[in-house]
Amino acid sequence: MTLVYFFGQGKADGNAQMKAELGGKGANLAEMTTLGLPVPAGFTISTSVCMDFLDRGEVFPSQLITEVNQALEKTEKAMGAKFGDCHSPLLVSVRSGARVSMPGMMDTILNLGLNDEVVEALARKSANPRFAYDSYRRFIQMFANVVKGLESHVLEDALENLKQHRGVVDDTELNAHDLKHLVEDFKEIYLRELGESFPQDPQKQLWAAIGAVFRSWNCNRAKKYREIHNIPNNWGTAVNVCAMVFGNMGESSATGVCFTRDPSTGENVFYGEYLINAQGEDVVAGIRTPKALSSLQAEMPAVYEQLNGVRNILERHYRDVQDIEFTVQENKLWLLQTRNAKRTTQAALRIAVDMVNEGLLNRKDAIRRVKPNELEKLLHPTLDPRAHRQVIAKGLPASPGACSGRVVFDSKDAEMWAARGEPVILVRDETSPEDIGGMHVSKGFLTARGGMTSHAAVVARQMGKCCIAGCGALHIHAKDRFIKIGKLEIFEGDWLTLDGSSGEVMLGKVHTREADLSPEFTTFLSWAKEMGSMNVRANADTPRDARTAREFGAEGIGLCRTEHMFFEETRLPVVREMILSQTNEERARALTKLLPFQRQDFMDILKAMEGFPVTIRLLDPPLHEFLPQTERDVQTLAGQLGMKSEDIRHRVEQLHEANPMLGHRGCRLGISHPEIYEMQVCAVAEATAQLHAEGIAAKPEVMIPLVGHAQELRWLRDRLEKLAVETYKTAMSALNCTVKDESIPFGTMIEVPRAALTANQIAEHADFFSFGTNDLTQTTFGFSRDDSAPFLKVYARENILNDDPFAVVDTEGVGQLIQWAAEKGRSKKPNLKVGVCGEHGGDPRSIEFFNQVGVNYVSCSPYRVPVAILSSAQAALH
Amino acid sequence: MTLVYFFGQGKADGNAQMKAELGGKGANLAEMTTLGLPVPAGFTISTSVCMDFLDRGEVFPSQLITEVNQALEKTEKAMGAKFGDCHSPLLVSVRSGARVSMPGMMDTILNLGLNDEVVEALARKSANPRFAYDSYRRFIQMFANVVKGLESHVLEDALENLKQHRGVVDDTELNAHDLKHLVEDFKEIYLRELGESFPQDPQKQLWAAIGAVFRSWNCNRAKKYREIHNIPNNWGTAVNVCAMVFGNMGESSATGVCFTRDPSTGENVFYGEYLINAQGEDVVAGIRTPKALSSLQAEMPAVYEQLNGVRNILERHYRDVQDIEFTVQENKLWLLQTRNAKRTTQAALRIAVDMVNEGLLNRKDAIRRVKPNELEKLLHPTLDPRAHRQVIAKGLPASPGACSGRVVFDSKDAEMWAARGEPVILVRDETSPEDIGGMHVSKGFLTARGGMTSHAAVVARQMGKCCIAGCGALHIHAKDRFIKIGKLEIFEGDWLTLDGSSGEVMLGKVHTREADLSPEFTTFLSWAKEMGSMNVRANADTPRDARTAREFGAEGIGLCRTEHMFFEETRLPVVREMILSQTNEERARALTKLLPFQRQDFMDILKAMEGFPVTIRLLDPPLHEFLPQTERDVQTLAGQLGMKSEDIRHRVEQLHEANPMLGHRGCRLGISHPEIYEMQVCAVAEATAQLHAEGIAAKPEVMIPLVGHAQELRWLRDRLEKLAVETYKTAMSALNCTVKDESIPFGTMIEVPRAALTANQIAEHADFFSFGTNDLTQTTFGFSRDDSAPFLKVYARENILNDDPFAVVDTEGVGQLIQWAAEKGRSKKPNLKVGVCGEHGGDPRSIEFFNQVGVNYVSCSPYRVPVAILSSAQAALH
């Protein structure tokens, strides 16, 4: 096995495909060399050596020593210089380079090869003693710190002392003499602090540096970084030893960074920055302001021309925008690195679409290039990046976007303030379905409790509003209408700004920028749609949401929650009347009043989704959710209905549940109170008939929630399907229309484990399955969505669960049930349509899994639809 | 295929094994005939004819007509009489007879074959015209009612009129002349009411009767009975046509019922009743008081001798106690039926044990003979069956036994009254762990809410106390200390009596009888124990429960809930102090105070179970369960701890959960607050060391609750096992003892679906699995145990779920997970010990399933231990 890979003079042992062995930097240096580009010669020690070195107590295998020496010789030959030589010395850089970029996480040593003699040679050769001694003192500093672990301030202090002593401010004001003295001081301090002399032997320097770079793979910040980014610990880093070139050898030298296209807009222009007479680190340090790349054309026309050529070669070669580091040493261009450029989402889209149009990429590759999660950012307002912001707390980034508004503490106040034209932010411990009215008119929500899938978060994403949840620092005194954050007090009407993408809560108004969809967005999405093997639908309960979803590319509604219609101000009293009915007649009367509302709801939403299926889920939440919670509301309702407050309180108490999530809801309610589902099904059938009569292609599907036993579904379907058909036929004939096909598909949610386990039995009564992955996750783990935040935080910290299972589907547990259910269901009914309508339907990693399982469609909140479309396309390409 | 099976003159086409075809009665008549016993000849029409007849629109196949006629001829020959003959007429009975006894559910016709001529022949032949006409009028009544559906009161009224007219009270006072007239009246009424004459042709009578008996299979009461007893609708009934014999032909005739042993005590004595000169129905009617069988020896010594012979033959033949119907016609003994006798549980045990000792049965068969569920009745007091009782409400029979006591409404009052020596019944809407003190001193519990597995029910069964749960008729006004049931008001201190086996609530004191275990019980159980392939352990949290369980045969504790120890009066304030701690030091201090309590608890319980394993489950419930619920309690606690009430309220609010069942509890708590589990594990280790030092074989096992992910268990085990071993070793060396084996097994509950689904991963960190089938049922169905009663009631009514899944394990769904988990777990660890510690561990049908799956042990409440032992034995025999 080869341990060391040489590159130089147009030939390289490695290539760009060998990132696993050579790391990203080493692989690309080899590739550029082979492409004939001017890369300083050097060699890469493979990542496997790193793991071997660390595992075996930091010993270098003898094979390595041999191969390094051979590669070093080749490097000397290529560069026409000799390592440690006193005439034409070769200096090298020793850099880390892992399989994926871990910027700043590991160590680098420059100018290696200098010693008391070589520095003189360098001074002579460059005719620039200041440069030579400056290089030497930098080398000593880096070596002492990186190799020997000397805290960097120790030598830095000596430099500062010298500057004070010489009465100067900048390093650059020190002359060669000063620096020569500084080197002497450094060496003395080195000896004193480390108990040994600074090594003069370049070979010793080299091996010490290689070992130090390997060791830096396991430094704390690198380990932390890998943990965060899920990078395996056993990948290791390569070491790149590369001939030094200097951009700081006078006015004919320079250093810079360039991008083959503008990484922030994606525009196809050559973009970058450089500094004359400087080293790479100076560009980063920001002491001098770099110039725009365009000036290089005037200052160094030949170099610019050559660089522009490199730009074209690399972009065509890599078929992606490149981020290139270059140095010009005495008018000669050297390339030090190339890699795929980081870019904004806007840029990523534009680049992908442009490159397809330019023939550089095919559509599939273009689709692979954009991260699905990034897309959502484009749909929401964002904070003006230049605006001042005073962050006062941080919560969970529960729904993206940014907004400013005035603080209110309850739903009624929100509606009152909004009616006056005030932008409001609803601040609560947690929200509940009762708050729906206030949430509707608020710009955003801020809650002290609850996680990424709390009520506030889910509704916010649904509505495309910004939300910060679980902001524990808030102490909300809702009654007295103020918030306390530490000692800060915020009162009703005060301005706050929320950034739902970062979770930051800011005091006052911060300027935001509206979302603006580019034509590339639409083109890109249309390509993705063609490629995905799963359809994407939206979870939408209102015609407005349905229209938004459709604009974003949704092909139907996978979950229309009818209960949200029950909470609307005009309906809630009737719903309550229905629940509080003493007799069947009273209940029937209340339901008769609700029917026209529901029919209208369904007409509007079916019309908005014309031509696409709309899955209508019958009532799901327990009845107590609709009853008043506060004494004041109880009394108001008593007045409205002419009932005794005591009777209402008694009913509220009677309906109280210890664990409402596992309570009397979903199809359980449908079976114990069949008249409710009957009313809903009639409303669906009548709405459909009305639309069909108008020539509108309404395509409803009826979905029964929370089925766990085939008998539940059989019982309900027996009763409801007949009713739906009869109602539809009656309505059509009343409208003088002929009936072509009166069937309305009936299906079920699969959202408790038992449904998945007995899916073959359930499939006999279902035209489709829709996985309610939220509830399925709750029941499979035994985690209450509303109560799990405190321990999930600990689980993340302790690496017990790496992902929040409510955000990314748990493939090992919940996924097993999904797969089993899909297989079992189809074993009974091969054409069974299988969808997902939980929050996971908008999560890329989950979508990849659903695609594997053979799901037919995913459904997510309207603002996640583009994300889901792209994820589905990528999953299909995978 | 044969449709008709003849029996008579010592030969029969059928036998006792053919119950499916011949029904129980027909099969036993055939068997007795073959045994040479005096059975009137006859024949049985098979059950398959019944289904065929009902399915094909009530047509008799021609083959049937041929076979019936042939069998009838044989019967005539055997009895020396002729059907419809005017000299020596044969009369027959036509009776139903299903595969299992459905007493009184279907129809019977006696004396068939009589008509205006035959009755005269019968009068002549019997020299008893009164007997003949009485038989005729009875036949017309039965025929009109059963075959023609004439309401029975129509003819009964005519009889009453006649009696009034003749000025007599009893039927027996009517003479032959009267009855002859009555027959004429009956025939007239028959014609008038039914529009046709009473059929004189015996053939027509016969076929009409056969059809009517078949039809009665589908009468409403029979259908209802089948539904309740899970009898398939397609079994059908056989029809037995049998020569009539008469016990009412004078002083040399008699009729009676006898049991080969006493069915109420099991004693091996010949037991029964008879009436001279009577028909079978007279014994049932109760007009005359039957005599004890012993008098028959004096009255009819030869017959008695013969009957006693029959007793021995039948009991030896069937190897079970027989319930025999007999008739003596003019000194000749006839047997009309034999079947296995119903018996009390005491009797069943005694009979089984005696029969083994007599060599009649082997032990295995004896074990099969007793229904496990019956055993528990023997362990509890029962109501004196002769005592007067006034039932005022009915709830769920949540825990068996009977008790009387005075009503109290809260736990504190219960303790106060009990301290004065008053027997109390705790009456509450529902109980919570906080009530444990009051529950301890109460005789029984009565709750208005909650199901068979509510807190009250589970604790009651655990403690062996009587409990009625979910008694919806109660309106409990706890504050004002009275109950309203309709218009009845019951106040604190009033006496109530509960029957936990029937769910009946009675006003006042009803006399109860104490439980008294027979020696047969112990013998029987010891046999069962030897046969079962699963061990039986108990769920026990106190040394008292452990001792009870051990007495009942438990071989260890499968679930020792440590939280019950936390609720005790002396500990609760310390537990609260721990929960309310602001700093880690405060918490550590509180835990240090708890440690000695826990250590003592564990010492006591391990000692009580010496030699058997004790599985100690670490803290499971969420912390908020330990905090005060009422404002008064908050203030008391604030005083005790020197805290502000507001701070306590805040913490209570902070810990509040929407769905505590799915909340921050079990191992989630153990991970977020490791110091609690650490304290518990130290207490276990120290207690074990102390006992080992005393030479006591303490065998603790540590069980982690609510694990859903292998990482949870790994994390906790890593931390706790080391601590346990170190603590044990330290304690042993402090006691100057040498350590032989310091290992304490660590295992986990499998109680959420994810644990079952990933059991292979979890098994890597577990020495044992214990299925928590309650919680597993809750999460698999998505049913909250506390909230499911209202809809489970509807589900039972609508046949959606036939069994309460909290009572009988749901093999299709939950069972699939259990099987999967056991298999997956053992695939990783072949010796993994697998147990069940949910309530289902005491249910016979569930135990049968657990046995199939290969579970090693079940654990149940102490009073269910005998039930489980017997169930386990039967499952192994199955």
Side-chain angles (χ1 to χ4, degrees), chain A residues 315-611:
Chain A
E315 205 182 76
R316 296 205 159 262
H317 185 70
Y318 284 102
R319 300 186 307 131
D320 201 356
V321 176
Q322 295 297 298
D323 164 355
I324 303 165
E325 286 179 23
F326 65 93
T327 283
V328 181
Q329 180 177 330
E330 296 174 319
N331 281 320
K332 181 164 168 45
L333 175 68
W334 293 99
L335 301 175
L336 303 184
Q337 172 154 318
T338 190
R339 58 182 170 191
N340 293 340
K342 298 243 186 295
R343 65 207 75 178
T344 64
T345 311
Q346 286 95 327
L349 278 180
R350 175 154 183 188
I351 289 164
V353 172
D354 282 356
M355 282 190 165
V356 169
N357 292 337
E358 292 162 22
L360 260 178
L361 271 187
N362 62 34
R363 287 185 182 181
K364 285 185 184 173
D365 287 334
I367 288 298
R368 287 195 185 95
R369 285 284 168 80
V370 178
K371 286 191 186 150
N373 266 333
E374 301 286 314
L375 284 191
E376 192 181 349
K377 288 187 194 157
L378 302 179
L379 313 180
H380 298 285
T382 48
L383 287 179
D384 184 339
R386 282 156 312 199
H388 171 75
R389 49 187 92 179
Q390 185 189 347
V391 175
I392 52 173
K394 202 166 169 190
L396 298 170
S399 180
C403 71
S404 296
R406 304 180 72 172
V407 170
V408 293
F409 292 99
D410 73 36
S411 192
K412 290 216 175 99
D413 290 339
E415 293 182 63
M416 228 162 56
W417 285 65
R420 294 202 303 259
E422 296 278 4
V424 294
I425 289 178
L426 182 62
V427 181
R428 294 184 65 83
D429 273 334
E430 50 201 344
T431 62
S432 76
E434 266 200 293
D435 296 321
I436 208 80
M439 296 174 89
H440 213 75
V441 299
S442 300
K443 296 289 170 194
F445 324 135
L446 171 60
T447 68
R449 296 207 201 118
M452 295 292 287
T453 48
S454 61
H455 179 262
V458 172
V459 173
R461 291 197 289 270
Q462 177 76 18
M463 294 181 170
K465 293 187 177 187
C466 138
C467 173
I468 297 174
C471 187
L474 306 184
H475 290 268
I476 301 176
H477 300 257
K479 255 195 227 152
D480 305 323
R481 307 200 173 185
F482 74 101
I483 314 168
K484 243 183 145 170
I485 304 178
K487 293 196 168 171
L488 179 68
E489 291 182 345
I490 296 160
F491 294 91
E492 186 181 47
D494 285 355
W495 283 85
L496 283 185
T497 297
L498 309 182
D499 182 350
S501 309
S502 69
E504 287 174 342
V505 182
M506 289 150 277
L507 201 60
K509 260 165 101 164
V510 179
H511 188 245
T512 58
R513 294 198 295 203
E514 278 310 303
D516 181 21
L517 292 188
S518 64
E520 288 85 5
F521 180 87
T522 313
T523 308
F524 188 80
L525 223 58
S526 72
W527 296 346
K529 230 181 200 176
E530 281 166 21
M531 276 170 227
S533 50
M534 291 185 290
N535 280 351
V536 175
R537 301 195 195 174
N539 302 342
D541 314 333
T542 65
R544 201 180 63 110
D545 282 354
R547 280 188 293 270
T548 308
R550 202 168 177 152
E551 270 166 40
F552 291 155
E555 299 180 305
I557 291 176
L559 176 62
C560 171
R561 282 166 285 230
T562 53
E563 58 269 22
H564 283 190
M565 304 166 181
F566 279 33
F567 281 111
E568 279 200 17
E569 209 182 348
T570 44
R571 291 97 184 263
L572 195 52
V574 188
V575 173
R576 288 171 169 175
E577 185 186 328
M578 184 268 290
I579 297 170
L580 296 168
S581 305
Q582 304 282 349
T583 64
N584 285 344
E585 292 73 43
E586 277 176 36
R587 172 161 298 142
R589 215 175 309 136
L591 285 167
T592 309
K593 285 194 234 168
L594 277 175
L595 177 68
F597 287 125
Q598 286 261 292
R599 186 174 50 217
Q600 191 59 49
D601 290 331
F602 295 144
M603 278 184 64
D604 293 344
I605 210 160
L606 285 164
K607 198 168 174 180
M609 264 295 160
E610 187 184 354

Side-chain angles (χ1 to χ4, degrees), chain A residues 662 668 712 782 784 795 810, chain B residues 662 668 712 754 782 784 795:
Chain A
L662 307 176
R668 301 160 194 177
E712 293 173 319
S784 163
Y795 277 22
D810 159 51
Chain B
L662 307 175
R668 302 161 194 175
E712 293 173 320
R754 200 182 186 288
S784 163
Y795 277 23

Side-chain angles (χ1 to χ4, degrees), chain B residues 423-727:
Chain B
V424 294
I425 289 179
L426 182 61
V427 181
R428 294 184 65 84
D429 273 334
E430 49 201 344
T431 62
S432 76
E434 266 199 293
D435 296 321
I436 209 80
M439 294 174 91
H440 212 75
V441 298
S442 300
K443 295 288 169 195
F445 324 135
L446 171 61
T447 68
R449 296 209 201 117
M452 295 292 288
T453 48
S454 60
H455 179 263
V458 172
V459 173
R461 291 196 289 270
Q462 177 77 20
M463 293 181 170
K465 292 188 177 185
C466 140
C467 173
I468 297 175
C471 187
L474 305 184
H475 290 268
I476 301 175
H477 300 258
K479 255 193 226 152
D480 304 323
R481 306 200 174 185
F482 73 102
I483 315 169
K484 243 184 143 169
I485 304 179
K487 293 195 165 168
L488 179 69
E489 291 183 344
I490 296 160
F491 295 90
E492 187 180 48
D494 286 355
W495 284 85
L496 283 185
T497 298
L498 309 181
D499 181 351
S501 309
S502 69
E504 288 174 340
V505 181
M506 287 150 278
L507 201 61
K509 262 167 101 163
V510 180
H511 188 247
T512 58
R513 295 198 293 205
E514 279 310 302
D516 181 22
L517 291 187
S518 63
E520 287 84 7
F521 180 88
T522 314
T523 308
F524 188 80
L525 223 59
S526 72
W527 294 346
K529 230 180 199 176
E530 281 166 21
M531 276 171 227
S533 50
M534 293 185 289
N535 280 352
V536 175
R537 301 194 194 175
N539 301 342
D541 313 333
T542 64
R544 200 180 63 109
D545 282 354
R547 278 188 294 269
T548 308
R550 204 171 174 149
E551 271 167 38
F552 291 154
E555 300 180 304
I557 291 177
L559 176 62
C560 171
R561 281 166 285 232
T562 53
E563 58 270 22
H564 283 189
M565 304 165 180
F566 279 35
F567 281 111
E568 277 198 18
E569 210 182 351
T570 42
R571 291 97 184 262
L572 196 53
V574 189
V575 173
R576 288 172 169 175
E577 183 186 331
M578 184 268 290
I579 296 169
L580 295 168
S581 305
Q582 306 282 349
T583 64
N584 285 343
E585 291 73 44
E586 276 176 36
R587 170 161 299 141
R589 214 176 308 134
L591 284 166
T592 309
K593 284 193 234 170
L594 277 175
L595 178 67
F597 287 125
Q598 286 261 292
R599 185 174 51 217
Q600 192 60 47
D601 290 331
F602 295 145
M603 277 184 64
D604 293 344
I605 209 158
L606 286 164
K607 198 168 175 181
M609 265 294 158
E610 186 184 357
F612 290 123
V614 174
T615 306
I616 294 165
R617 181 179 71 183
L618 303 185
L619 193 68
D620 186 45
L623 294 181
H624 53 76
E625 280 201 12
F626 299 99
L627 292 183
Q629 306 296 322
T630 66
E631 186 51 33
R632 199 182 65 178
D633 289 349
V634 166
Q635 281 169 11
T636 311
L637 184 64
Q640 281 170 349
L641 300 182
M643 284 181 75
K644 276 194 255 173
S645 300
E646 196 197 315
D647 290 341
I648 295 179
R649 265 195 302 277
H650 180 72
R651 184 87 173 118
V652 169
E653 210 181 293
Q654 208 180 18
L655 288 175
H656 169 81
E657 293 188 308
N659 296 289
M661 154 68 204
L662 307 175
H664 194 163
R665 48 174 283 238
C667 68
R668 302 161 194 175
L669 200 60
I671 290 169
S672 64
H673 296 70
E675 57 280 9
I676 301 176
Y677 278 14
E678 283 164 10
M679 178 279 284
Q680 295 196 294
V681 161
C682 284
V684 171
E686 289 177 8
T688 307
Q690 182 69 47
L691 293 173
H692 285 183
E694 295 171 20
I696 292 166
K699 293 181 155 188
E701 302 177 327
V702 173
M703 180 154 75
I704 312 284
L706 214 65
V707 164
H709 197 294
Q711 292 302 323
E712 293 173 320
L713 187 57
R714 182 197 53 75
W715 195 96
L716 282 167
R717 185 172 187 159
D718 275 0
R719 180 174 294 245
L720 298 177
E721 191 173 28
K722 216 177 296 167
L723 180 66
V725 170
E726 290 310 316
T727 308

Side-chain angles (χ1 to χ4, degrees), chain A residues 718-848:
Chain A
D718 275 0
R719 181 174 293 245
L720 298 176
E721 192 174 28
K722 215 177 297 167
L723 180 67
V725 170
E726 290 309 316
T727 308
Y728 176 80
K729 284 205 257 181
T730 308
M732 285 299 266
S733 90
L735 294 162
N736 288 320
C737 288
T738 50
V739 174
K740 277 175 206 149
D741 176 14
E742 74 271 5
S743 70
I744 294 176
F746 270 72
T748 182
M749 309 263 306
I750 302 286
E751 51 187 338
V752 297
R754 199 182 186 287
L757 292 165
T758 60
N760 46 340
Q761 295 169 21
I762 290 175
E764 292 186 34
H765 310 285
D767 300 322
F768 61 89
F769 280 178
S770 181
F771 290 101
T773 51
N774 294 355
D775 278 5
L776 193 58
T777 299
Q778 294 198 76
T779 45
T780 304
F781 275 90
F783 283 176
S784 163
R785 200 180 69 177
D786 299 325
D787 306 312
S788 52
F791 60 83
L792 283 182
K793 221 178 281 179
V794 180
Y795 277 22
R797 191 188 68 209
E798 298 293 332
N799 286 322
I800 289 170
L801 276 180
N802 291 319
D803 295 306
D804 177 347
F806 293 111
V808 181
V809 76
D810 159 51
T811 53
E812 281 183 348
V814 178
Q816 223 178 110
L817 286 176
I818 292 174
Q819 186 157 7
W820 172 269
E823 280 168 16
K824 283 273 157 183
R826 285 179 175 146
S827 75
K828 270 282 144 114
K829 197 170 271 181
N831 294 323
L832 187 78
K833 199 163 54 169
V834 173
V836 170
C837 68
E839 284 282 304
H840 299 98
D843 168 63
R845 277 153 70 195
S846 307
I847 289 174
E848 161 115 40

Side-chain angles (χ1 to χ4, degrees), chain B residues 253-500:
Chain B
S253 297
T255 191
V257 173
C258 59
F259 293 85
T260 57
R261 304 190 187 211
D262 184 336
S264 91
T265 64
E267 202 186 344
N268 191 356
V269 293
F270 199 16
Y271 177 92
E273 298 177 327
Y274 71 100
L275 276 173
I276 296 284
N277 192 16
Q279 276 204 311
E281 56 206 282
D282 300 333
V283 180
V284 182
I287 299 164
R288 288 157 60 194
T289 304
K291 296 183 187 172
L293 194 64
S294 48
S295 337
L296 191 67
Q297 198 164 11
E299 290 199 295
M300 295 181 172
V303 167
Y304 180 83
E305 198 57 32
Q306 194 185 354
L307 192 59
N308 201 26
V310 168
R311 170 198 179 201
N312 290 326
I313 291 166
L314 286 179
E315 205 182 77
R316 296 207 160 260
H317 184 70
Y318 285 102
R319 299 188 306 132
D320 201 355
V321 176
Q322 295 298 298
D323 164 356
I324 303 164
E325 287 179 21
F326 65 93
T327 284
V328 182
Q329 181 177 332
E330 296 176 317
N331 281 321
K332 178 164 170 46
L333 175 68
W334 294 99
L335 300 174
L336 302 185
Q337 171 156 319
T338 189
R339 57 183 171 191
N340 292 340
K342 299 244 184 297
R343 65 207 75 177
T344 64
T345 311
Q346 287 95 325
L349 279 180
R350 175 152 183 190
I351 290 164
V353 172
D354 282 356
M355 283 192 165
V356 170
N357 292 337
E358 293 162 21
L360 260 178
L361 271 189
N362 62 33
R363 288 185 182 181
K364 284 185 185 173
D365 288 333
I367 288 298
R368 286 195 185 96
R369 285 283 168 81
V370 179
K371 286 192 185 147
N373 266 333
E374 301 287 314
L375 284 191
E376 192 181 350
K377 289 187 195 158
L378 302 179
L379 313 179
H380 299 285
T382 48
L383 286 180
D384 185 337
R386 281 156 313 199
H388 170 76
R389 49 187 92 176
Q390 184 188 350
V391 176
I392 52 171
K394 201 167 170 189
L396 298 170
S399 181
C403 70
S404 296
R406 305 182 70 173
V407 170
V408 292
F409 293 99
D410 73 35
S411 191
K412 290 215 174 101
D413 290 339
E415 293 182 64
M416 228 162 59
W417 285 66
R420 295 203 302 262
E422 297 278 4
V424 294
I425 289 179
L426 182 61
V427 181
R428 294 184 65 84
D429 273 334
E430 49 201 344
T431 62
S432 76
E434 266 199 293
D435 296 321
I436 209 80
M439 294 174 91
H440 212 75
V441 298
S442 300
K443 295 288 169 195
F445 324 135
L446 171 61
T447 68
R449 296 209 201 117
M452 295 292 288
T453 48
S454 60
H455 179 263
V458 172
V459 173
R461 291 196 289 270
Q462 177 77 20
M463 293 181 170
K465 292 188 177 185
C466 140
C467 173
I468 297 175
C471 187
L474 305 184
H475 290 268
I476 301 175
H477 300 258
K479 255 193 226 152
D480 304 323
R481 306 200 174 185
F482 73 102
I483 315 169
K484 243 184 143 169
I485 304 179
K487 293 195 165 168
L488 179 69
E489 291 183 344
I490 296 160
F491 295 90
E492 187 180 48
D494 286 355
W495 284 85
L496 283 185
T497 298
L498 309 181
D499 181 351

Side-chain angles (χ1 to χ4, degrees), chain A residues 50 53-54 58 106-107 146-148 208-219 237:
Chain A
C50 173
F53 174 78
L54 295 174
E58 309 198 346
M106 290 175 299
D107 291 323
V146 171
V147 179
K148 293 292 169 185
I210 293 170
V213 172
F214 280 154
R215 265 197 305 277
S216 72
W217 175 253
N218 276 342
C219 73
T237 181

Side-chain angles (χ1 to χ4, degrees), chain B residues 184-253:
Chain B
E184 290 308 312
D185 289 349
F186 275 9
K187 286 194 290 182
E188 260 171 52
I189 296 169
Y190 188 101
L191 177 62
R192 190 177 68 229
E193 292 285 333
L194 298 169
E196 60 184 49
S197 304
F198 176 75
Q200 292 290 320
D201 178 355
Q203 276 285 342
K204 278 193 186 148
Q205 292 172 358
L206 178 63
W207 288 104
I210 293 170
V213 171
F214 280 155
R215 266 198 304 278
S216 71
W217 175 253
N218 276 341
C219 71
N220 285 334
R221 64 176 189 276
K223 282 202 277 194
K224 193 77 208 165
Y225 186 92
R226 290 201 293 274
E227 200 182 301
I228 294 167
H229 293 83
N230 274 317
I231 300 171
N233 283 320
N234 65 358
W235 277 6
T237 181
V239 171
N240 299 292
V241 178
C242 191
M244 285 296 300
V245 289
F246 299 96
N248 53 348
M249 288 180 76
E251 294 305 306
S252 63
S253 297

